[in-house]
Amino acid sequence: MIRTDVKELKRLIIDLIGVITGSLIVSFGLNMFLIPNQLAAGGATGVAIILLYLFSIPVSLGIILVNVPLFIAGVKFLGAKFGLRTLVGTLSLSFFVEITSIAPQPTGDNFLAALYGGIIVGTGLGIVFRFRGTSGGTAIAAQLLNKFTGLTTGQGMMGVDFFIIAAAAYLFDFETALYALIGLFVISWFIDLVQQGISQAKAAFIISDKSKQISREIMRQMSRGVTALDGRGAYTGETREVILVVFNKLELSKLKYLVHNIDPDAFVIVSEANEVLGEGFRKFSYEDI
């Protein structure tokens, strides 16, 4: 019991360090690119940027003002699952935005600011999410919308972010809002990139009357494990063996050549495998939990 508690405490400390580190990176992206160029690219920080230019409220304070009521509502209606990580993410982001406000502002070009600001902010948020944290804002609002309206969390986040960018278009100008939209897409892409990594793997489902021979050759020539699944044609009712194999994307041509040589009529489905953990690929580690 004691060892379990120590392990959980160690995990929590690592998580909090990751959340704080990610928040620091986000603050640089905000202060160097997004804030000085009025790019309110969604989230609580987008609202804080609007508040800065409307009422001269510092972004660091604006983040707190936006997140406090959302945090309270989240705890009340969704339970205490937001907990310590959300609180640390929100407070550390606000703190670092204030501290890094002296960071240089490399460009006044909105496109470059949206691109590089999106890269930095997305990388930082990806780290925060990877360590099971959140910076509050859109994530909490989206889950509240999910509870009361039935919208999915993804739909809720996109809806809230779109509303923020639309408000920026009305308050600033439409062109700036379009650049903010670019920033939002870049942020989203880099969040996924940090959490999932660059996909180096593909998965293939192969349906063939010669499945056993194909399986043997995949294991012999490609040294990849093969999983045999039971399948049944819905129209014919016939049972067939379905082969599942995961492989490096550089091996795709080799796989297709191998299957075609054995059974030119085989039915092959190839898809991206965003993340593969285990034998033959990257080892499963604590950060993947």
Side-chain angles (χ1 to χ4, degrees):
M1 181 66 178
I2 295 177
R3 292 181 63 182
T4 302
D5 291 341
V6 171
K7 183 178 179 180
E8 289 298 317
L9 178 60
K10 181 180 178 180
R11 292 177 61 167
L12 177 60
I13 292 173
I14 293 173
D15 282 348
L16 294 181
I17 291 173
V19 170
I20 292 171
T21 301
S23 298
L24 175 61
I25 294 171
V26 171
S27 71
F28 276 107
L30 291 171
N31 277 316
M32 293 176 68
F33 296 101
L34 300 188
I35 294 175
N37 291 283
Q38 297 183 332
L39 298 178
T45 54
V47 177
I49 291 172
I50 292 174
L51 292 176
L52 169 67
Y53 286 97
L54 283 183
F55 305 109
S56 299
I57 298 174
V59 173
S60 56
L61 178 58
I63 291 172
I64 298 294
L65 292 176
V66 172
N67 275 301
V68 165
L70 286 172
F71 184 81
I72 294 173
V75 171
K76 180 178 179 180
F77 294 109
L78 302 172
K81 62 182 178 180
F82 297 104
L84 187 59
R85 291 179 182 86
T86 298
L87 189 60
V88 169
T90 301
L91 294 178
S92 60
L93 178 58
S94 176
F95 173 76
F96 287 132
V97 165
E98 185 67 28
I99 296 300
T100 60
S101 60
I102 60 173
Q105 299 167 6
T107 181
D109 183 284
N110 280 346
F111 177 76
L112 292 177
L115 177 61
Y116 288 100
I119 291 172
I120 297 173
V121 171
T123 299
L125 287 176
I127 293 172
V128 170
F129 296 153
R130 192 177 180 93
F131 286 92
R132 289 164 291 282
T134 171
S135 58
T138 305
I140 300 177
Q143 292 191 49
L144 288 170
L145 285 173
N146 172 257
K147 180 177 178 65
F148 293 111
T149 68
L151 291 172
T152 66
T153 302
Q155 290 171 337
M157 291 184 71
M158 285 299 295
V160 173
D161 286 335
F162 180 80
F163 177 79
I164 293 169
I165 291 176
Y170 176 76
L171 295 170
F172 301 142
D173 64 81
F174 190 73
E175 185 176 283
T176 300
L178 291 177
Y179 285 116
L181 192 59
I182 293 174
L184 176 61
F185 283 120
V186 175
I187 289 170
S188 299
W189 196 82
F190 268 82
I191 287 174
D192 291 340
L193 181 64
V194 172
Q195 289 189 285
Q196 300 175 354
I198 299 175
S199 176
Q200 294 293 329
K202 289 183 177 291
F205 291 92
I206 304 168
I207 303 173
S208 169
D209 293 329
K210 300 178 180 179
S211 59
K212 287 183 171 52
Q213 184 180 350
I214 292 173
S215 297
R216 285 197 301 269
E217 291 305 309
I218 289 175
M219 290 185 284
R220 186 180 71 84
Q221 296 187 37
M222 298 177 60
S223 299
R224 291 294 182 188
V226 178
T227 300
L229 308 173
D230 292 328
R232 181 173 62 85
Y235 180 74
T236 63
E238 295 180 0
T239 58
R240 276 190 174 185
E241 191 173 72
V242 180
I243 301 170
L244 169 63
V245 57
V246 180
F247 53 95
N248 189 293
K249 64 182 181 181
L250 298 178
E251 298 172 311
L252 176 58
S253 295
K254 186 174 183 179
L255 176 73
K256 291 192 292 185
Y257 180 78
L258 181 155
V259 172
H260 182 268
N261 276 351
I262 297 172
D263 183 6
D265 297 321
F267 188 74
V268 182
I269 304 169
V270 180
S271 63
E272 293 289 340
N274 285 333
E275 189 169 21
V276 181
L277 306 172
E279 186 176 354
F281 295 90
R282 185 164 61 87
K283 289 185 177 180
F284 200 101
S285 65
Y286 166 75
E287 288 75 13
D288 299 306
I289 302 174

